[in-house]
Amino acid sequence: FILRFQRNVNYMVNFQAGSCLRRPSDGSSVWPRIFDLPIFVGVVLYSLAVAPLMLMVYFTFPLVLMIDHDLGGCMRDWFCNPEPLDWAGVWHTASEKQGQNLLVLWTLTRLLYLLAGLCGVALLWVLKPCFPPNPPRYRRYLFLRSFRKVALRAIACYLVYIVIIWFVVFIQYLEWGTASSPSPP
């Protein structure tokens, strides 16, 4: 058993004298040993190339669709509105359903939600000593601890979502301006 293990330990790339152009006799590969290194490099490069593609397929593409579904109209109104944004009148003119004011109002309400969530997490942090881990019943302590961690991660993700939306609006403004910005000469 140990001799077989020592013989197969270099199974990924093996360059023994005289065996480079023959297929392995133990049936470990259908290709000659000379192809071991190119196959190994190909597998490593394939795994490195697939990870960013999976990130795009599983996260980036759905995030873009979600932003377009939720705030695409507001972002287009921000870009096409010929009037400059009135920061002081955001609360008063939100009922007019203007894109700029609606996007700012959306952001302010989401920041209030985040603040309420942070207050809830802080309350759980303050109440943590009230629920110490008592053997043999750990469920309440573990539930509160897990809930606090999940809530913090959800708040962080939602904050990143808000920042991404404003980053897109900012990049759009830097690249093309708005309808209210002066046209280049």
Side-chain angles (χ1 to χ4, degrees):
F1 179 73
I2 293 175
L3 292 176
R4 184 176 179 202
F5 178 74
Q6 288 174 345
R7 188 178 71 237
N8 288 337
V9 77
N10 56 354
Y11 68 94
M12 290 197 190
V13 177
N14 186 2
F15 292 120
Q16 291 178 344
S19 69
C20 286
L21 298 176
R22 289 181 288 159
R23 289 191 336 190
S25 59
D26 59 356
S28 62
S29 177
V30 296
W31 297 92
R33 289 288 182 193
I34 193 100
F35 292 112
D36 283 354
L37 188 60
I39 290 172
F40 178 69
V41 169
V43 167
V44 169
L45 290 178
Y46 175 77
S47 65
L48 290 175
V50 165
L53 292 175
M54 290 296 123
L55 179 72
M56 286 185 60
V57 167
Y58 291 135
F59 295 108
T60 308
F61 187 65
L63 181 69
V64 167
L65 289 178
M66 188 170 66
I67 288 173
D68 184 42
H69 180 265
D70 288 344
L71 295 166
C74 292
M75 293 169 76
R76 283 185 288 278
D77 283 347
W78 182 282
F79 179 66
C80 297
N81 193 355
E83 299 175 9
L85 177 64
D86 178 23
W87 288 98
V90 167
W91 292 104
H92 303 294
T93 59
S95 60
E96 297 175 10
K97 304 292 184 194
Q98 292 178 352
Q100 294 176 341
N101 294 335
L102 204 57
L103 188 61
V104 172
L105 186 66
W106 178 89
T107 303
L108 292 175
T109 55
R110 293 324 183 261
L111 289 175
L112 286 175
Y113 295 159
L114 286 176
L115 184 64
L118 283 175
C119 289
V121 169
L123 182 66
L124 286 176
W125 186 263
V126 169
L127 293 177
K128 186 175 129 181
C130 297
F131 302 105
N134 295 328
R137 290 190 247 156
Y138 292 103
R139 285 187 185 175
R140 184 176 18 188
Y141 169 76
L142 291 175
F143 174 76
L144 288 175
R145 189 180 76 171
S146 300
F147 185 76
R148 190 181 75 236
K149 299 288 184 183
V150 167
L152 276 175
R153 288 186 181 110
I155 288 170
C157 288
Y158 207 62
L159 187 63
V160 167
Y161 180 67
I162 292 171
V163 168
I164 285 174
I165 288 169
W166 279 99
F167 181 74
V168 168
V169 169
F170 181 69
I171 293 297
Q172 176 181 323
Y173 176 74
L174 285 180
E175 188 69 27
W176 294 291
T178 62
S180 64
S181 52
S183 58

CSV table of all heavy atoms in Angstrom, one decimal, residues 39-80:
chain,number,residue,atom,x,y,z
A,39,ILE,N,-2.2,19.8,-19.3
A,39,ILE,CA,-3.5,19.6,-18.7
A,39,ILE,C,-3.6,20.2,-17.4
A,39,ILE,O,-4.6,20.9,-17.0
A,39,ILE,CB,-3.8,18.1,-18.7
A,39,ILE,CG1,-4.0,17.5,-20.1
A,39,ILE,CG2,-5.0,17.8,-17.8
A,39,ILE,CD1,-4.1,16.0,-20.1
A,40,PHE,N,-2.6,20.1,-16.6
A,40,PHE,CA,-2.6,20.7,-15.2
A,40,PHE,C,-2.7,22.2,-15.3
A,40,PHE,O,-3.5,22.8,-14.6
A,40,PHE,CB,-1.3,20.3,-14.5
A,40,PHE,CG,-1.2,20.9,-13.1
A,40,PHE,CD1,-2.0,20.5,-12.1
A,40,PHE,CD2,-0.2,21.9,-12.8
A,40,PHE,CE1,-1.9,21.0,-10.8
A,40,PHE,CE2,-0.1,22.4,-11.6
A,40,PHE,CZ,-1.0,22.0,-10.6
A,41,VAL,N,-1.9,22.9,-16.2
A,41,VAL,CA,-2.0,24.3,-16.4
A,41,VAL,C,-3.4,24.7,-16.9
A,41,VAL,O,-3.9,25.7,-16.5
A,41,VAL,CB,-0.8,24.8,-17.3
A,41,VAL,CG1,-1.0,26.3,-17.7
A,41,VAL,CG2,0.5,24.6,-16.6
A,42,GLY,N,-3.9,24.0,-17.8
A,42,GLY,CA,-5.2,24.3,-18.4
A,42,GLY,C,-6.3,24.2,-17.3
A,42,GLY,O,-7.2,25.0,-17.3
A,43,VAL,N,-6.3,23.2,-16.4
A,43,VAL,CA,-7.3,23.1,-15.3
A,43,VAL,C,-7.1,24.3,-14.4
A,43,VAL,O,-8.1,24.8,-14.0
A,43,VAL,CB,-7.1,21.7,-14.6
A,43,VAL,CG1,-7.9,21.7,-13.3
A,43,VAL,CG2,-7.5,20.6,-15.5
A,44,VAL,N,-5.9,24.7,-14.0
A,44,VAL,CA,-5.7,25.8,-13.1
A,44,VAL,C,-6.2,27.1,-13.8
A,44,VAL,O,-7.0,27.9,-13.1
A,44,VAL,CB,-4.3,25.9,-12.7
A,44,VAL,CG1,-4.0,27.2,-12.0
A,44,VAL,CG2,-3.9,24.7,-11.8
A,45,LEU,N,-5.9,27.3,-15.0
A,45,LEU,CA,-6.3,28.5,-15.7
A,45,LEU,C,-7.9,28.5,-15.9
A,45,LEU,O,-8.5,29.6,-15.8
A,45,LEU,CB,-5.7,28.7,-17.1
A,45,LEU,CG,-4.2,29.0,-17.0
A,45,LEU,CD1,-3.6,29.1,-18.4
A,45,LEU,CD2,-3.9,30.3,-16.2
A,46,TYR,N,-8.4,27.4,-16.2
A,46,TYR,CA,-9.9,27.3,-16.3
A,46,TYR,C,-10.6,27.7,-15.0
A,46,TYR,O,-11.6,28.4,-15.0
A,46,TYR,CB,-10.3,25.9,-16.8
A,46,TYR,CG,-11.8,25.7,-16.8
A,46,TYR,CD1,-12.5,26.2,-17.9
A,46,TYR,CD2,-12.4,25.0,-15.8
A,46,TYR,CE1,-13.9,26.0,-17.9
A,46,TYR,CE2,-13.8,24.8,-15.9
A,46,TYR,CZ,-14.5,25.3,-16.9
A,46,TYR,OH,-15.9,25.1,-17.0
A,47,SER,N,-10.1,27.1,-13.9
A,47,SER,CA,-10.7,27.4,-12.6
A,47,SER,C,-10.5,28.9,-12.2
A,47,SER,O,-11.4,29.5,-11.6
A,47,SER,CB,-10.1,26.5,-11.5
A,47,SER,OG,-8.8,26.8,-11.3
A,48,LEU,N,-9.4,29.5,-12.6
A,48,LEU,CA,-9.2,30.9,-12.3
A,48,LEU,C,-10.1,31.8,-13.2
A,48,LEU,O,-10.6,32.9,-12.8
A,48,LEU,CB,-7.8,31.3,-12.5
A,48,LEU,CG,-6.8,30.8,-11.5
A,48,LEU,CD1,-5.4,31.2,-11.9
A,48,LEU,CD2,-7.1,31.3,-10.1
A,49,ALA,N,-10.4,31.3,-14.4
A,49,ALA,CA,-11.3,32.1,-15.3
A,49,ALA,C,-12.8,32.0,-15.0
A,49,ALA,O,-13.5,32.9,-15.3
A,49,ALA,CB,-11.0,31.7,-16.8
A,50,VAL,N,-13.2,30.8,-14.5
A,50,VAL,CA,-14.6,30.6,-14.2
A,50,VAL,C,-15.1,31.4,-13.0
A,50,VAL,O,-16.2,31.8,-13.0
A,50,VAL,CB,-14.8,29.1,-14.1
A,50,VAL,CG1,-16.1,28.8,-13.4
A,50,VAL,CG2,-14.7,28.4,-15.4
A,51,ALA,N,-14.2,31.6,-12.0
A,51,ALA,CA,-14.6,32.3,-10.8
A,51,ALA,C,-15.2,33.7,-11.1
A,51,ALA,O,-16.3,34.1,-10.6
A,51,ALA,CB,-13.5,32.4,-9.8
A,52,PRO,N,-14.5,34.6,-11.9
A,52,PRO,CA,-15.1,35.9,-12.1
A,52,PRO,C,-16.4,35.8,-13.0
A,52,PRO,O,-17.3,36.6,-12.8
A,52,PRO,CB,-14.0,36.6,-12.9
A,52,PRO,CG,-12.8,35.9,-12.6
A,52,PRO,CD,-13.1,34.5,-12.3
A,53,LEU,N,-16.4,34.8,-13.9
A,53,LEU,CA,-17.6,34.7,-14.7
A,53,LEU,C,-18.8,34.3,-13.8
A,53,LEU,O,-19.9,34.8,-14.0
A,53,LEU,CB,-17.4,33.6,-15.8
A,53,LEU,CG,-16.4,34.1,-16.9
A,53,LEU,CD1,-16.2,32.9,-17.8
A,53,LEU,CD2,-17.0,35.2,-17.6
A,54,MET,N,-18.6,33.4,-12.9
A,54,MET,CA,-19.7,33.0,-11.9
A,54,MET,C,-20.1,34.2,-11.1
A,54,MET,O,-21.3,34.3,-10.7
A,54,MET,CB,-19.2,31.8,-11.1
A,54,MET,CG,-19.1,30.5,-11.8
A,54,MET,SD,-20.7,30.0,-12.4
A,54,MET,CE,-20.3,29.8,-14.1
A,55,LEU,N,-19.2,35.0,-10.7
A,55,LEU,CA,-19.5,36.2,-9.9
A,55,LEU,C,-20.4,37.1,-10.7
A,55,LEU,O,-21.4,37.6,-10.1
A,55,LEU,CB,-18.2,36.9,-9.5
A,55,LEU,CG,-18.4,38.2,-8.7
A,55,LEU,CD1,-18.9,37.9,-7.3
A,55,LEU,CD2,-17.2,39.0,-8.7
A,56,MET,N,-20.1,37.3,-12.0
A,56,MET,CA,-21.0,38.1,-12.8
A,56,MET,C,-22.4,37.5,-13.0
A,56,MET,O,-23.4,38.2,-12.9
A,56,MET,CB,-20.3,38.3,-14.2
A,56,MET,CG,-19.2,39.3,-14.1
A,56,MET,SD,-18.5,39.7,-15.7
A,56,MET,CE,-20.0,40.4,-16.5
A,57,VAL,N,-22.4,36.2,-13.2
A,57,VAL,CA,-23.7,35.5,-13.5
A,57,VAL,C,-24.6,35.5,-12.2
A,57,VAL,O,-25.8,35.7,-12.3
A,57,VAL,CB,-23.4,34.1,-14.0
A,57,VAL,CG1,-24.7,33.3,-14.0
A,57,VAL,CG2,-22.8,34.1,-15.4
A,58,TYR,N,-24.0,35.2,-11.1
A,58,TYR,CA,-24.8,35.0,-9.9
A,58,TYR,C,-25.0,36.3,-9.1
A,58,TYR,O,-26.0,36.4,-8.4
A,58,TYR,CB,-24.1,34.1,-8.9
A,58,TYR,CG,-24.1,32.6,-9.4
A,58,TYR,CD1,-22.9,31.9,-9.4
A,58,TYR,CD2,-25.2,32.1,-10.0
A,58,TYR,CE1,-22.9,30.6,-9.9
A,58,TYR,CE2,-25.2,30.8,-10.5
A,58,TYR,CZ,-24.1,30.0,-10.4
A,58,TYR,OH,-24.1,28.8,-10.9
A,59,PHE,N,-24.2,37.4,-9.2
A,59,PHE,CA,-24.4,38.6,-8.4
A,59,PHE,C,-24.6,39.8,-9.2
A,59,PHE,O,-25.5,40.6,-9.0
A,59,PHE,CB,-23.2,38.7,-7.4
A,59,PHE,CG,-23.1,37.7,-6.4
A,59,PHE,CD1,-22.1,36.7,-6.5
A,59,PHE,CD2,-24.0,37.6,-5.4
A,59,PHE,CE1,-22.0,35.7,-5.6
A,59,PHE,CE2,-23.9,36.6,-4.5
A,59,PHE,CZ,-22.9,35.6,-4.5
A,60,THR,N,-23.7,40.1,-10.2
A,60,THR,CA,-23.7,41.4,-10.9
A,60,THR,C,-24.9,41.5,-11.8
A,60,THR,O,-25.6,42.5,-11.8
A,60,THR,CB,-22.4,41.5,-11.7
A,60,THR,OG1,-21.3,41.3,-10.8
A,60,THR,CG2,-22.3,42.9,-12.3
A,61,PHE,N,-25.2,40.5,-12.6
A,61,PHE,CA,-26.3,40.6,-13.5
A,61,PHE,C,-27.7,40.7,-12.7
A,61,PHE,O,-28.5,41.6,-13.1
A,61,PHE,CB,-26.3,39.4,-14.4
A,61,PHE,CG,-27.3,39.4,-15.5
A,61,PHE,CD1,-27.3,40.4,-16.5
A,61,PHE,CD2,-28.4,38.5,-15.5
A,61,PHE,CE1,-28.2,40.5,-17.5
A,61,PHE,CE2,-29.3,38.6,-16.5
A,61,PHE,CZ,-29.3,39.6,-17.5
A,62,PRO,N,-27.9,39.9,-11.7
A,62,PRO,CA,-29.2,40.1,-10.9
A,62,PRO,C,-29.2,41.5,-10.2
A,62,PRO,O,-30.3,42.1,-10.1
A,62,PRO,CB,-29.2,39.0,-9.9
A,62,PRO,CG,-28.4,38.0,-10.5
A,62,PRO,CD,-27.3,38.7,-11.3
A,63,LEU,N,-28.1,42.0,-9.8
A,63,LEU,CA,-28.0,43.3,-9.1
A,63,LEU,C,-28.4,44.4,-10.1
A,63,LEU,O,-29.2,45.3,-9.8
A,63,LEU,CB,-26.7,43.6,-8.5
A,63,LEU,CG,-26.5,44.9,-7.8
A,63,LEU,CD1,-27.4,44.9,-6.5
A,63,LEU,CD2,-25.1,45.2,-7.5
A,64,VAL,N,-27.9,44.3,-11.3
A,64,VAL,CA,-28.2,45.3,-12.3
A,64,VAL,C,-29.7,45.3,-12.7
A,64,VAL,O,-30.4,46.3,-12.8
A,64,VAL,CB,-27.4,45.1,-13.6
A,64,VAL,CG1,-27.9,45.9,-14.8
A,64,VAL,CG2,-25.9,45.5,-13.3
A,65,LEU,N,-30.3,44.1,-12.8
A,65,LEU,CA,-31.7,44.0,-13.1
A,65,LEU,C,-32.5,44.5,-12.0
A,65,LEU,O,-33.6,45.1,-12.2
A,65,LEU,CB,-32.0,42.5,-13.4
A,65,LEU,CG,-31.5,41.9,-14.7
A,65,LEU,CD1,-31.9,40.5,-14.9
A,65,LEU,CD2,-32.1,42.7,-15.9
A,66,MET,N,-32.1,44.2,-10.7
A,66,MET,CA,-32.9,44.7,-9.6
A,66,MET,C,-32.8,46.2,-9.5
A,66,MET,O,-33.9,46.9,-9.3
A,66,MET,CB,-32.3,44.1,-8.3
A,66,MET,CG,-33.1,44.4,-7.1
A,66,MET,SD,-32.5,43.4,-5.6
A,66,MET,CE,-30.9,44.1,-5.4
A,67,ILE,N,-31.7,46.8,-9.8
A,67,ILE,CA,-31.6,48.3,-9.8
A,67,ILE,C,-32.4,48.9,-10.9
A,67,ILE,O,-33.1,49.9,-10.7
A,67,ILE,CB,-30.1,48.8,-9.9
A,67,ILE,CG1,-29.3,48.5,-8.6
A,67,ILE,CG2,-30.0,50.2,-10.2
A,67,ILE,CD1,-27.9,48.7,-8.7
A,68,ASP,N,-32.4,48.3,-12.1
A,68,ASP,CA,-33.2,48.8,-13.2
A,68,ASP,C,-34.7,48.7,-12.8
A,68,ASP,O,-35.5,49.6,-13.1
A,68,ASP,CB,-32.9,48.1,-14.4
A,68,ASP,CG,-33.6,48.6,-15.6
A,68,ASP,OD1,-33.7,49.9,-15.7
A,68,ASP,OD2,-34.1,47.8,-16.5
A,69,HIS,N,-35.1,47.6,-12.2
A,69,HIS,CA,-36.5,47.4,-11.9
A,69,HIS,C,-37.0,48.3,-10.8
A,69,HIS,O,-38.0,48.9,-10.9
A,69,HIS,CB,-36.8,45.9,-11.5
A,69,HIS,CG,-38.2,45.7,-11.1
A,69,HIS,ND1,-38.6,45.7,-9.8
A,69,HIS,CD2,-39.2,45.3,-11.9
A,69,HIS,CE1,-39.9,45.5,-9.8
A,69,HIS,NE2,-40.3,45.2,-11.1
A,70,ASP,N,-36.1,48.5,-9.8
A,70,ASP,CA,-36.5,49.3,-8.6
A,70,ASP,C,-36.4,50.8,-9.0
A,70,ASP,O,-37.3,51.6,-8.7
A,70,ASP,CB,-35.7,49.0,-7.4
A,70,ASP,CG,-36.0,47.7,-6.8
A,70,ASP,OD1,-37.1,47.2,-7.1
A,70,ASP,OD2,-35.2,47.2,-6.0
A,71,LEU,N,-35.3,51.3,-9.5
A,71,LEU,CA,-35.0,52.7,-9.6
A,71,LEU,C,-34.6,53.1,-11.0
A,71,LEU,O,-34.1,54.2,-11.2
A,71,LEU,CB,-33.9,53.0,-8.7
A,71,LEU,CG,-34.3,52.9,-7.2
A,71,LEU,CD1,-33.0,52.9,-6.3
A,71,LEU,CD2,-35.2,53.9,-6.8
A,72,GLY,N,-34.9,52.3,-12.0
A,72,GLY,CA,-34.5,52.7,-13.4
A,72,GLY,C,-35.2,54.0,-13.8
A,72,GLY,O,-34.6,54.8,-14.4
A,73,GLY,N,-36.5,54.1,-13.5
A,73,GLY,CA,-37.3,55.3,-13.9
A,73,GLY,C,-36.8,56.5,-13.2
A,73,GLY,O,-36.6,57.6,-13.8
A,74,CYS,N,-36.5,56.4,-11.9
A,74,CYS,CA,-36.0,57.5,-11.2
A,74,CYS,C,-34.6,58.0,-11.7
A,74,CYS,O,-34.3,59.2,-11.8
A,74,CYS,CB,-35.8,57.2,-9.7
A,74,CYS,SG,-37.4,56.9,-8.9
A,75,MET,N,-33.8,57.0,-12.1
A,75,MET,CA,-32.5,57.3,-12.5
A,75,MET,C,-32.5,58.0,-13.9
A,75,MET,O,-31.8,58.9,-14.3
A,75,MET,CB,-31.6,56.1,-12.5
A,75,MET,CG,-31.3,55.6,-11.1
A,75,MET,SD,-30.5,54.0,-11.0
A,75,MET,CE,-28.8,54.4,-11.5
A,76,ARG,N,-33.5,57.5,-14.8
A,76,ARG,CA,-33.7,58.1,-16.1
A,76,ARG,C,-34.2,59.5,-15.9
A,76,ARG,O,-33.8,60.4,-16.7
A,76,ARG,CB,-34.5,57.3,-17.0
A,76,ARG,CG,-33.8,56.1,-17.5
A,76,ARG,CD,-34.7,55.3,-18.5
A,76,ARG,NE,-35.8,54.6,-17.8
A,76,ARG,CZ,-35.6,53.4,-17.2
A,76,ARG,NH1,-34.4,52.8,-17.3
A,76,ARG,NH2,-36.6,52.8,-16.7
A,77,ASP,N,-35.2,59.7,-15.0
A,77,ASP,CA,-35.7,61.1,-14.7
A,77,ASP,C,-34.6,62.0,-14.2
A,77,ASP,O,-34.6,63.2,-14.6
A,77,ASP,CB,-36.8,61.0,-13.7
A,77,ASP,CG,-38.1,60.5,-14.3
A,77,ASP,OD1,-38.2,60.4,-15.6
A,77,ASP,OD2,-39.0,60.2,-13.6
A,78,TRP,N,-33.7,61.5,-13.4
A,78,TRP,CA,-32.6,62.3,-12.9
A,78,TRP,C,-31.8,62.8,-14.1
A,78,TRP,O,-31.3,63.9,-14.1
A,78,TRP,CB,-31.7,61.5,-12.0
A,78,TRP,CG,-30.6,62.2,-11.4
A,78,TRP,CD1,-29.4,62.5,-12.0
A,78,TRP,CD2,-30.5,62.7,-10.0
A,78,TRP,NE1,-28.6,63.2,-11.1
A,78,TRP,CE2,-29.3,63.3,-9.9
A,78,TRP,CE3,-31.4,62.7,-9.0
A,78,TRP,CZ2,-28.9,63.9,-8.7
A,78,TRP,CZ3,-31.0,63.3,-7.8
A,78,TRP,CH2,-29.8,63.9,-7.7
A,79,PHE,N,-31.6,61.9,-15.1
A,79,PHE,CA,-30.7,62.3,-16.2
A,79,PHE,C,-31.5,63.2,-17.2
A,79,PHE,O,-30.9,64.1,-17.7
A,79,PHE,CB,-30.3,61.0,-16.9
A,79,PHE,CG,-29.5,61.2,-18.1
A,79,PHE,CD1,-28.2,61.7,-18.0
A,79,PHE,CD2,-30.0,60.9,-19.4
A,79,PHE,CE1,-27.4,61.9,-19.2
A,79,PHE,CE2,-29.2,61.1,-20.5
A,79,PHE,CZ,-27.9,61.6,-20.4
A,80,CYS,N,-32.8,63.0,-17.4
A,80,CYS,CA,-33.5,63.8,-18.4
A,80,CYS,C,-34.2,65.0,-17.9
A,80,CYS,O,-34.7,65.8,-18.7
A,80,CYS,CB,-34.6,62.9,-19.0
A,80,CYS,SG,-33.9,61.4,-19.9
